[in-house]
Amino acid sequence: VQLQASGGGLVHSGGSLRLSCAASGLTFSSYTMGWFRQAPGKEREFVAGISWSGGRTYYADSVKGRFTISRDNAKNTVYLQMNSLKPEDTAVYYCAADGSYPLRGDAMYYWGKGTQVTVSS
C-alpha cells in the first residue's frame, strides 16, 4: 500500500494550497481517509476526515470553514483544499487510510509520507 501526498509548498498568509494524496495497492473506496498534520515540536493532530463515498466529512475546529476535504474514488485520490492559510497551519501534512468513521487517529491502517506546508506571515 502506498499513499503519496503532494501539493505542499510555501505560501503567504491568506493564501491557498491544494494537497493531493494518491493511493495505490488498496481498494480505495473501501477505506475512509483523513489528513493529519505535525508542526515542529508538537504532536501529530487530526485535520479532516471523509467517509468511504465522500458523503460525510468532519474537521478539526482549527480548520473548520477554511479547509475542505474531498475524494475521487475513480482516481484513488483524496484532496485537501486549504484556504485562508495562517502561519499556525505550518506543518508536515500526512494522509492516512482507515476502515472506520470517524477515523481512529493514531490507529489508522495506513499512513503516507508527508508533504511540507509553510505559511509565511
Side-chain angles (χ1 to χ4, degrees), residues 61-81:
D61 287 343
S62 59
V63 307
K64 202 172 294 182
R66 300 187 298 122
F67 290 11
T68 302
I69 187 172
S70 62
R71 67 188 295 163
D72 185 338
N73 286 349
K75 295 183 178 179
N76 288 0
T77 302
V78 62
Y79 305 96
L80 185 68
Q81 177 67 43

Side-chain angles (χ1 to χ4, degrees), residues 3 21 26-28 33 41-42 51 55 59 66 84 91-92 95 97:
L3 302 176
C21 174
L26 76 170
T27 304
F28 185 68
M33 298 296 297
K42 295 187 176 181
S51 62
Y59 301 88
R66 300 187 298 122
S84 302
V92 177
C95 62

Side-chain angles (χ1 to χ4, degrees), residues 26 45 48 94 101 115:
L26 76 170
E45 63 176 1
Y94 300 88
Y101 188 89
T115 184

